[in-house]
Amino acid sequence: GEHPDTMDKIIISLLFLTMPVLAEKYVDLHEVTIVDAYGVDKMLPAKVVPKRQSTLGFEVPGKVKIINVDIGDKVTQGELLAELEDSEALALLNEAKANLSMAENTFERSKALDQVNYVSEQRLENEEFGFLIARAKHDRALTKFRQTKILAPYDGIIQSRLLDEGSIVNPSVPVFEILDSKTVEARVSLPKSIIKKVVVGQKYAFIIGDQSFDATLTRMAPMSSKGSDNRLGIFSFDAFFNPGETARLVVNVKQAKRGTWVPLNALSQAEQGLWAVFTVASDNSAQKDYVELIHIEKSMAYVSGTLKTGDRVIVGGASKVAEGQAVRDSQ
């Protein structure tokens, strides 16, 4: 038969095979630094609007002669957008122009003659007076003529056209709505907690679509709704994009809570809403510490618990080591 000693050895060997072999394990470590607060990116909804938006109309009554633009047209500052029947205004302007020219010539001639004392003081005064009146009448006629035109007040896009040629209009009846096409701004309702953290003149990031754009906080205005502590923040963009885009303002807010950042994958779920991390004990073995998960940011987690500055957390946690296993820094 089999020698009894050999049998015992086989049984002991089998027992060893079923026990986990806790060899020294090389691991990546993350050194803990305890801080008093953590930052959270808050996203606030923003409305992107043109910096300027105007309703344009004529300043005098009349019949619309020409409309040069339509909805969606891009226009440049000073461009002629529409005009009224202007033959009467034009005739008056031409008459005033001729009268001014005549009065100016008469006055200039008398001034030249006055140098050699051919003209009486009285006559020179009367002619100067006549020239000034003619100039005032010309200015008035020019203004009246200009009031039969609508010019673009700035570079923009025609948002709506409200009248057609041939319409009879009164002053101040809207003819066009124009949007600024050079600059857009964002309007954000800023809650009390954020107001203290933003500074007029500083740049802030906005997420529009899937891109990030910078805008400068230009002013803070009170909100119109009664009793609201919120303020309206107005931000100007350097870039131009279509008004009406949805945007979000990104503000980093500090939350006071003592804790530390650790890699997210160092955490494993424990009981009663707590999480476990493994740290390296003084004898170089993995020991379990319990922490509370406060906030997650990308691949890092902010936790609070009994961890101290200088503790070394094992990256990968329970997937890399077991409690009590000897570990060594892989660096």
Side-chain angles (χ1 to χ4, degrees), residues 259-287:
T260 182
W261 289 99
V262 296
L264 196 52
N265 67 3
L267 296 175
S268 45
Q269 195 138 21
E271 58 283 346
Q272 291 171 338
L274 286 175
W275 296 75
V277 293
F278 287 100
T279 55
V280 182
S282 53
D283 63 356
N284 279 343
S285 66
Q287 70 173 19

Side-chain angles (χ1 to χ4, degrees), residues 24-31 280 284 312-315 326-331:
E24 189 172 58
K25 183 91 189 268
Y26 282 94
V27 289
D28 290 332
L29 299 175
H30 168 87
E31 192 167 318
V280 182
N284 279 343
R312 291 173 302 159
V313 169
I314 296 167
V315 179
V327 291
R328 180 181 287 199
D329 190 352
S330 63
Q331 292 307 307

